[in-house]
Amino acid sequence: MKKAEKAQAEEIVRLLGQEIPRGRTNKSLRKSLISVKNSVKNEIQVRTEAVFLPYKACMWDSLESVWKAADEDPDCDAYVVPIPYFDRNPDGSFREEHYEGDLYPDYVPVTRYDEYDFQNRRPDMIFIHNPYDDCNYLTGVPPPSSIQRT
């Protein structure tokens, strides 16, 4: 905390400790609160974290333009975290696992799904390819709890 911000916070605490006559506005308190509000609004940088969870590299084009916009935003940290997918048996169970993290274009920085810590990073946005995965009879992705193996 900067000295000026600390001094303003201390002044607010001091002013709040005073008894304010009913129906009257404490001008000094209001001035300090406006100053703190402006300081928070203008000086505290807010960063957004966006995670993209593609599973088939051949479908990357459907997320790429959104990722590019997020990646170019100076206030956004964008991560491409390809997840594994499975071929499905006729009964819907999973068969062979596939991971295509090495098939994305060279300009796309890829983070392995088992290296991105969702629980600690807590991304603000998550983009997925497969919102109706339960209707796909050919392939499927594992449940979220099994994507990150710790």
Side-chain angles (χ1 to χ4, degrees):
M1 182 181 276
K2 294 179 184 176
K3 283 184 181 180
E5 292 167 344
K6 184 177 180 185
Q8 282 186 327
E10 289 171 350
E11 176 66 6
I12 289 171
V13 169
R14 185 187 71 74
L15 292 169
L16 286 174
Q18 294 179 2
E19 198 170 309
I20 300 171
R22 188 176 171 95
R24 296 186 67 197
T25 303
N26 188 320
K27 190 175 182 178
S28 183
L29 176 60
R30 195 163 91 193
K31 183 179 175 184
S32 291
L33 288 173
I34 290 170
S35 180
V36 169
K37 177 184 172 186
N38 288 336
S39 181
V40 167
K41 185 177 174 183
N42 297 320
E43 295 178 23
I44 296 178
Q45 283 191 329
V46 177
R47 298 199 59 78
T48 301
E49 187 156 321
V51 177
F52 295 81
L53 301 177
Y55 66 105
K56 283 190 169 188
C58 67
M59 294 169 38
W60 172 240
D61 61 337
S62 67
L63 287 176
E64 186 173 29
S65 62
V66 180
W67 166 75
K68 280 184 178 178
D71 193 51
E72 291 170 2
D73 182 340
D75 296 323
C76 183
D77 297 320
Y79 294 88
V80 177
V81 184
I83 57 176
Y85 69 94
F86 293 83
D87 294 326
R88 287 189 188 267
N89 290 314
D91 67 357
S93 61
F94 290 151
R95 194 173 59 223
E96 183 182 353
E97 180 179 310
H98 304 279
Y99 177 71
E100 299 185 357
D102 57 340
L103 300 179
Y104 289 80
D106 291 338
Y107 59 86
V108 178
V110 168
T111 301
R112 280 192 52 90
Y113 66 94
D114 52 1
E115 294 175 358
Y116 183 87
D117 189 349
F118 285 90
Q119 211 161 26
N120 286 324
R121 297 197 68 90
R122 301 179 58 96
D124 300 292
M125 298 177 281
I126 299 175
F127 296 87
I128 61 173
H129 266 156
N130 55 321
Y132 305 107
D133 193 55
D134 57 333
C135 298
N136 185 341
Y137 299 111
L138 300 176
T139 60
V141 298
S145 61
S146 66
I147 289 178
Q148 181 156 359
R149 298 176 188 148
T150 53

